[in-house]
Amino acid sequence: MGWKNLLLIGTMTILVSGCSQINSLLNKLPFIADESSNNNKNQQTKDDDSPINDPLSLESIFFNEIKEVDGKNVIQNSANVMALVNKEFYLPADYIPGDLVRPNVAFSFGDVETEKSLLRKEAALALEKMFSEAATNGIELYAISGYRSFSRQQSLFNAEIDRVGIEKAEQAVAIPGASEHQSGLAMDISSQSNKFYLNEAFENTPEGKWLKDQAHRFGFVLRYPKEKIDITNYMYEPWHYRYVGVKAATIMYKHNWTLEEYFNEVKKM
Ligand SMILES: [Zn+2]
């Protein structure tokens, strides 16, 4: 049974029954066996779009380079702006992005200096553009939570286990290493109209609707869509936006693909 068929089945059933189908989808993804990681190369932007490029092909440096460590698939080229981080592919515990900056946007917590205000430089610039264009359209966005270190994720995860037990914790909070927030490429966004909450109600606010249809123009994607829970293996999060660059974000938006599906469809150059 393919994943498309799974879409027809209740999503909660899939969450409970595990993710073997997802694993088989992900296992089909091509990876670079061994390429020495090169930070400059990995940080290259995806936005330089050459007209001779096939939009559905992607340079090999943007694919995860994976090494198995203690039974986990650990990403070796973590600084790749297109890194596929999920419950199958983990960031290393010691990975801290080298170019974290604080974007010049409104935060729900004001001017407080905190790691969650940070994003990688390329994503921060894109976020500034997105927030300022939103504002010119009367859409007032607030950044809630960006970069999250491995250790901070660990404490959040442990606190959730204490609260609801490990099974429920794994659905609600990313296992340390499996959070896109550690990449410095994801931002949780909300609005005053939603009392700055990160909840499903955000999808019905003017801000949530604007983001859903416009974010790709700035290189961001709604990472965990409602109808793709069986693919992402994360609950629906209308507030979580991930930077992947304008080219990939636009393709994903047009085809209604998650990042998992994008890597399954795109050809490695
Ligand atoms: Zn998030």
Side-chain angles (χ1 to χ4, degrees), residues 146-219:
Y147 171 65
R148 197 179 302 148
S149 61
F150 186 92
S151 56
R152 172 103 182 100
Q153 188 68 30
Q154 189 112 56
S155 12
L156 287 174
F157 187 65
N158 291 343
E160 190 70 3
I161 291 176
D162 290 346
R163 209 173 66 86
V164 296
I166 184 137
E167 222 164 288
K168 281 186 180 169
E170 283 183 356
Q171 293 305 335
V173 177
I175 299 165
S179 171
E180 284 198 326
H181 286 281
Q182 193 193 337
S183 73
L185 296 167
M187 183 58 85
D188 294 333
I189 302 170
S190 188
S191 61
Q192 205 153 20
S193 66
N194 202 43
K195 302 193 177 87
F196 308 118
Y197 287 138
L198 302 178
N199 59 16
E200 284 202 19
F202 183 59
E203 74 176 351
N204 295 318
T205 64
E207 294 83 7
K209 286 177 182 166
W210 187 90
L211 274 175
K212 194 181 178 204
D213 284 330
Q214 306 296 331
H216 66 279
R217 297 195 295 109
F218 306 90

Side-chain angles (χ1 to χ4, degrees), residues 145 148 181 186-188 198 224 237 239-241:
S145 190
R148 197 179 302 148
H181 286 281
M187 183 58 85
D188 294 333
L198 302 178
Y224 308 117
E237 295 193 356
W239 60 85
H240 179 109
Y241 281 83

Side-chain angles (χ1 to χ4, degrees), residues 64 95 97 130 140 157 189 208 214 217 226 243 251 254:
N64 277 355
Y95 175 64
M130 183 162 79
E140 214 183 329
F157 187 65
I189 302 170
Q214 306 296 331
R217 297 195 295 109
K226 198 181 231 169
Y243 182 78
I251 291 169
K254 275 191 195 153

Side-chain angles (χ1 to χ4, degrees), residues 81-84 123 126-127 130 180 185-189 211-225 232 237-260 262-263:
V81 291
M82 297 206 62
L84 176 60
L127 192 84
M130 183 162 79
E180 284 198 326
L185 296 167
M187 183 58 85
D188 294 333
I189 302 170
L211 274 175
K212 194 181 178 204
D213 284 330
Q214 306 296 331
H216 66 279
R217 297 195 295 109
F218 306 90
F220 287 90
V221 293
L222 174 66
R223 183 66 179 86
Y224 308 117
T232 63
E237 295 193 356
W239 60 85
H240 179 109
Y241 281 83
R242 158 71 195 270
Y243 182 78
V244 292
V246 172
K247 184 182 165 189
T250 304
I251 291 169
M252 289 168 64
Y253 177 79
K254 275 191 195 153
H255 291 269
N256 193 26
W257 286 339
T258 61
L259 195 53
E260 283 80 8
Y262 172 81
F263 275 108

